[in-house]
Amino acid sequence: AIGRVVVSCSALHQILSIGAFSLAVNDSRPWEEDVRVGVLTTGMSTQTLVGAWRTLVSIHAPDDADDFNKLADQIQKTFAHRDIFAHCIWGPGPKLGTAIPVMAKTVGRLRRTQEKHYTADEIKQWAETASEQAVRLLAYLLRWELAPLP
């Protein structure tokens, strides 16, 4: 389940990267040159890419900005969960079938990241959420003619 979250968020991050570039240059061709575009966006955090999208959407499609900003908030929440799922040590939760994430710090401290205990189904749902958000991002780009038709 955790692997599905990581892979789904990776695909979402790729769409954020290429999409931000497409919005910036107002052209759909970056999708054909995704390796070259990747050079420009490699190392950009999700927060940076989402911030770029927010600005570029307000310029390119101001009528969509409010709706997009709601999606952007959801994407940031998804990536916060992705970071917990991908970077924590997992231990058994207090209830059967649950697990609790524990963050290990390099100074030798362990701390709970939160009191939330997750089931495998809840983690899978976050993977589905990331996939749905990727589709919604692509829908915007297709409507604005900034992505090739699948």
Side-chain angles (χ1 to χ4, degrees):
I2 293 171
R4 284 181 62 190
V5 172
V6 171
V7 169
S8 296
C9 284
S10 177
L12 180 54
H13 194 273
Q14 182 73 1
I15 293 167
L16 284 167
S17 296
I18 298 172
F21 192 86
S22 293
L23 278 165
V25 298
N26 198 30
D27 193 338
S28 67
R29 285 178 291 167
W31 291 92
E32 299 165 12
E33 302 290 336
D34 65 334
V35 172
R36 293 181 194 175
V37 172
V39 169
L40 297 174
T41 58
T42 295
M44 284 188 181
S45 69
T46 302
Q47 190 164 347
T48 300
L49 289 167
V50 168
W53 269 75
R54 287 181 195 268
T55 302
L56 293 165
V57 167
S58 70
I59 294 166
H60 184 82
D63 292 343
D64 291 327
D66 287 341
D67 187 49
F68 175 78
N69 285 332
K70 291 174 189 169
L71 174 59
D73 291 340
Q74 294 167 359
I75 289 170
Q76 289 182 309
K77 183 177 179 181
T78 297
F79 272 88
H81 276 83
R82 177 253 177 235
D83 291 346
I84 290 169
F85 297 148
H87 299 295
C88 284
I89 299 168
W90 288 85
K95 297 178 185 172
L96 185 63
T98 65
I100 186 167
V102 178
M103 180 66 73
K105 293 290 184 179
T106 57
V107 294
R109 291 181 300 146
L110 291 178
R111 68 173 176 86
R112 288 186 177 178
T113 58
Q114 55 189 354
E115 294 299 315
K116 173 75 173 138
H117 306 123
Y118 294 93
T119 65
D121 287 339
E122 289 172 319
I123 296 170
K124 288 177 188 174
Q125 184 56 50
W126 281 106
E128 291 300 318
T129 297
S131 295
E132 291 165 6
Q133 291 167 345
V135 169
R136 289 177 63 195
L137 279 178
L138 283 173
Y140 277 117
L141 292 169
L142 288 168
R143 186 169 69 232
W144 300 328
E145 299 180 356
L146 293 175
L149 290 173

